[in-house]
Amino acid sequence: MIELEKEIEYTLYQLMELEVEEEIVQMSQIFAKLLTSVQAAQLIDYKLDVLIDPSQCLPETKILLESLMEVKSRFNRRRKLLTHRDILKVWLRKNATFKSEFLPRMF
């Protein structure tokens, strides 16, 4: 779990930089690889359903899983197709570093 937490944290910082540069396609590719790792750790299934209680996870993993659950519940109510971009928006905005350091640079 510690290796996955490090991978999530590293990916998060990569995605923050790419968000500032508006590299949407590259963000989606990197995020897809991360989701594959999270699925391999059996934290989510192929439908992106969370399989464990996020409160049992390390901080960045917990935020990612909670973000995924939040986005899925929103989109299920609206019957809208869920995209990586939708998940990324919520995940990045839940991260304190993104809000304090990266978001201000975007404007």
Side-chain angles (χ1 to χ4, degrees):
M1 284 297 247
I2 293 173
E3 287 179 30
L4 180 61
E5 179 76 1
K6 288 179 182 178
E7 181 180 353
I8 291 171
E9 189 171 343
Y10 175 75
T11 301
L12 177 64
Y13 283 99
Q14 278 185 305
L15 294 172
M16 285 184 212
E17 290 291 339
L18 292 170
E19 174 74 13
V20 171
E21 298 167 11
E22 298 182 8
E23 295 287 341
I24 307 303
V25 173
Q26 192 174 358
M27 286 177 68
S28 288
Q29 292 169 343
I30 291 171
F31 190 62
K33 288 179 187 174
L34 176 63
L35 289 178
T36 302
S37 296
V38 175
Q39 185 177 1
Q42 298 180 343
L43 302 180
I44 62 173
D45 65 10
Y46 71 96
K47 297 182 293 184
L48 302 180
D49 290 329
V50 177
L51 301 175
I52 66 164
D53 180 9
S55 64
Q56 299 173 356
C57 298
L58 296 170
E60 293 301 334
T61 306
K62 177 183 175 194
I63 292 170
L64 174 61
L65 295 176
E66 289 174 344
S67 299
L68 186 56
M69 291 169 64
E70 180 180 327
V71 172
K72 283 202 61 130
S73 71
R74 283 186 202 172
F75 281 76
N76 284 342
R77 284 189 301 236
R78 296 182 194 160
R79 300 198 188 315
K80 187 177 173 189
L81 183 63
L82 181 65
T83 66
H84 288 160
R85 183 80 181 130
D86 299 317
I87 301 166
L88 281 169
K89 284 185 209 175
V90 172
W91 184 38
L92 289 175
R93 288 193 176 101
K94 282 186 170 229
N95 185 279
T97 304
F98 180 74
K99 287 193 289 190
S100 63
E101 295 178 25
F102 287 88
L103 198 55
R105 290 193 314 191
M106 295 173 69
F107 298 102

